[in-house]
Amino acid sequence: NAGVTQTPKFQVLKTGQSMTLQCAQDMNHEYMSWYRQDPGMGLRLIHYSVGAGITDQGEVPNGYNVSRSTTEDFPLRLLSAAPSQTSVYFCASSNGRTGGYYGYTFGSGTRLTVV
Amino acid sequence: RKEVEQDPGPFNVPEGATVAFNCTYSNSASQSFFWYRQDCRKEPKLLMSVYSSGNEDGRFTAQLNRASQYISLLIRDSKLSDSATYLCVVNVGTGNQFYFGTGTSLTVIP
């Protein structure tokens, strides 16, 4: 199994551009989420989904949109990139509705730089 | 106040040493606890869950103290390959909110 696959691995955007970070998992996990990781801040939850058609906001949702049309895919859209969105983005999935007892499987990350 | 706080580190220890990390959490309703390991420029990977009774996996021992609201990770007989950042993770309430600590950096020195 591939696990959680994120693309692209690296991206440079200009301020104001939009893009979509892709995330796919082949483990039939119900729960998927997006985090960003910044130095000294730890991982912060952007958006999450407990199943197809259901999404909700996390701690830092502004400037990002998500959708979950299938169990496998959970793309993250940056609407109008800003330098403050320069970060490493991780997609994660978990078995079980809450993931509370199973932990996460993370994708390998997307390093985004906004200039 | 942060949901999860960890020892800032860095910890630099010689091979074979025993090292312990602590992590405190602020929400007494927290239900699940984990330690993750993150290598430089890689994704976090689950190291172990932390159970109420404490649990051990080889050289690694995790403990939970609900009364004082902290969890700990003990690494015995440190190996060079243990060098990484260790993240404390706490799951609160209904389970859809995981809070990560900022991580503790460990370097094992030959």
Side-chain angles (χ1 to χ4, degrees):
Chain A
N1 284 347
V4 179
T5 303
Q6 282 185 242
T7 55
K9 293 191 180 300
F10 302 93
Q11 184 70 50
V12 178
L13 287 179
K14 293 182 178 179
T15 297
Q17 286 184 316
S18 63
M19 78 160 295
T20 299
L21 308 185
Q22 301 291 344
C23 176
Q25 53 93 5
D26 61 0
M27 299 173 284
N28 202 31
H29 285 175
E30 293 182 354
Y31 185 77
M32 297 185 73
S33 58
W34 277 101
Y35 284 85
R36 59 177 289 174
Q37 186 173 33
D38 303 292
M41 300 292 290
L43 280 92
R44 293 180 292 168
L45 182 64
I46 304 171
H47 285 285
Y48 65 94
S49 168
V50 299
I54 306 169
T55 63
D56 207 346
Q57 297 181 349
E59 183 182 357
V60 288
N62 292 340
Y64 308 95
N65 274 353
V66 292
S67 60
R68 184 93 180 271
S69 57
T70 66
T71 299
E72 294 78 19
D73 299 301
F74 190 45
L76 177 73
R77 297 183 186 85
L78 278 70
L79 308 174
S80 177
S84 61
Q85 293 179 304
T86 293
S87 187
V88 180
Y89 291 85
F90 289 104
C91 178
S93 73
S94 181
N95 189 7
R97 187 170 185 84
T98 68
Y101 298 99
Y102 304 105
Y104 279 134
T105 299
F106 281 87
S108 58
T110 297
R111 294 185 177 276
L112 175 68
T113 301
V114 182
V115 298
Chain B
R1 182 181 176 185
K2 290 184 179 180
E3 291 282 347
V4 178
E5 300 205 51
Q6 290 188 242
D7 288 346
F11 286 71
N12 299 311
V13 302
E15 271 187 291
T18 295
V19 61
F21 307 138
N22 288 324
C23 168
T24 58
Y25 59 94
S26 61
N27 192 328
S28 60
S30 299
Q31 296 182 341
S32 305
F33 309 88
F34 307 90
W35 283 102
Y36 277 74
R37 170 193 170 126
Q38 186 173 25
D39 293 295
C40 186
R41 301 180 72 83
K42 298 288 188 181
E43 72 274 22
K45 292 186 177 178
L46 180 63
L47 178 65
M48 58 196 304
S49 302
V50 185
Y51 303 126
S52 297
S53 56
N55 48 300
E56 188 174 302
D57 183 2
R59 298 181 293 108
F60 298 84
T61 300
Q63 293 196 322
L64 167 64
N65 185 318
R66 285 192 183 272
S68 301
Q69 295 183 201
Y70 76 84
I71 66 173
S72 63
L73 177 67
L74 182 77
I75 305 175
R76 292 182 300 277
D77 188 22
S78 298
K79 311 292 185 189
L80 296 177
S81 57
D82 294 334
S83 297
T85 296
Y86 291 84
L87 305 173
C88 168
V89 183
V90 173
N91 171 258
V92 179
T94 59
N96 291 327
Q97 291 283 353
F98 285 76
Y99 292 95
F100 285 75
T102 53
T104 300
S105 174
L106 171 66
T107 300
V108 181
I109 304 165

